[in-house]
Amino acid sequence: IYTDMTDFNLRSHNLFLAKDLNLFDKNINFLYGFSDTRLGGSKFLNLHTFTPTIGFELTENIFLSSSYNYSHKKFFTDPNRDSHTNSLNLNFFLFNDNGYYLFLYKYEDEDTNFDEYDYTAYNLSLTSNHMVTMNNRMIYSINYNDKDYLKNTASISEKRRDKNKSFSVTNEYKFNE
């Protein structure tokens, strides 16, 4: 398929630079990423992203972290989708003897070159990640996503709002230990 249907060949080159600091009992991280993606051998997408993160231990069992993310997308095949995106993430970890619970909140605002694609969104997530036995880990996750497009979508002649909920269960079992 790769040699027969070359229009669908997808290739990405990624570069990430990170710096971690530990200042005043705070974990501070800076991450820069660049991605060059080609489709069918032609330029398709360039993505620049910058994410500073700060995290700290509130108590022995509670860890809080927050991050800001800026990304700039350039689509070579559809300049209307070029965008600047700002998002804020808040994470609350509660640890116990067998694992942790994670509550996550994310807010995102995307501004594109074409108003029809602009949106604001938020995501809420609750995850339980716990060891059942020495070789068995159970992960339960509930997610809620809400993406509100700010202008009318031409194909449906109205404002679009995408909402979805999901629930996942993962059972990790180590066979050879």
Side-chain angles (χ1 to χ4, degrees):
I1 291 176
Y2 187 81
T3 56
D4 294 338
M5 301 179 77
T6 57
D7 287 348
F8 297 102
N9 293 346
L10 184 68
R11 183 179 58 188
S12 289
H13 297 276
N14 303 299
L15 171 71
F16 291 95
L17 303 171
K19 178 64 179 170
D20 291 318
L21 303 168
N22 216 338
L23 298 172
F24 308 108
D25 293 327
K26 309 287 185 283
N27 299 320
I28 301 171
N29 174 273
F30 298 95
L31 175 69
Y32 168 77
F34 172 73
S35 180
D36 176 60
T37 303
R38 295 172 185 263
L39 182 62
S42 299
K43 284 184 159 267
F44 176 66
L45 170 67
N46 278 161
L47 173 65
H48 294 269
T49 184
F50 176 69
T51 308
T53 303
I54 186 168
F56 61 95
E57 202 174 273
L58 191 61
T59 68
E60 185 177 300
N61 297 335
I62 297 174
F63 184 82
L64 302 174
S65 70
S66 179
S67 64
Y68 164 78
N69 177 267
Y70 168 78
S71 66
H72 175 241
K73 298 177 203 164
K74 176 164 182 53
F75 288 89
F76 293 94
T77 57
D78 188 358
N80 286 334
R81 291 194 178 272
D82 290 358
S83 67
H84 299 274
T85 307
N86 295 281
S87 66
L88 179 64
N89 295 285
L90 303 170
N91 303 298
F92 175 85
F93 292 87
L94 176 61
F95 294 93
N96 60 26
D97 292 338
N98 296 324
Y100 64 88
Y101 297 96
L102 167 62
F103 175 75
L104 174 137
Y105 173 79
K106 178 180 180 181
Y107 173 81
E108 184 173 68
D109 182 74
E110 182 161 287
D111 181 23
T112 64
N113 286 348
F114 188 55
D115 289 344
E116 184 176 324
Y117 302 132
D118 293 353
Y119 68 84
T120 59
Y122 68 91
N123 169 263
L124 296 169
S125 175
L126 179 61
T127 301
S128 169
N129 187 324
H130 286 82
M131 296 295 291
V132 178
T133 67
M134 289 300 289
N135 293 331
N136 190 354
R137 174 177 296 278
M138 292 296 296
I139 304 167
Y140 301 94
S141 186
I142 299 170
N143 294 293
Y144 175 76
N145 296 295
D146 186 341
K147 186 183 279 189
D148 187 12
Y149 289 86
L150 303 177
K151 300 288 181 184
N152 281 353
T153 300
S155 61
I156 60 173
S157 300
E158 63 184 39
K159 278 184 65 177
R160 184 171 134 206
R161 189 161 192 178
D162 297 337
K163 294 181 182 183
N164 64 60
K165 300 173 214 132
S166 64
F167 176 73
S168 66
V169 177
T170 304
N171 184 359
E172 294 178 0
Y173 189 83
K174 296 178 186 175
F175 290 101
N176 296 326
E177 181 133 325

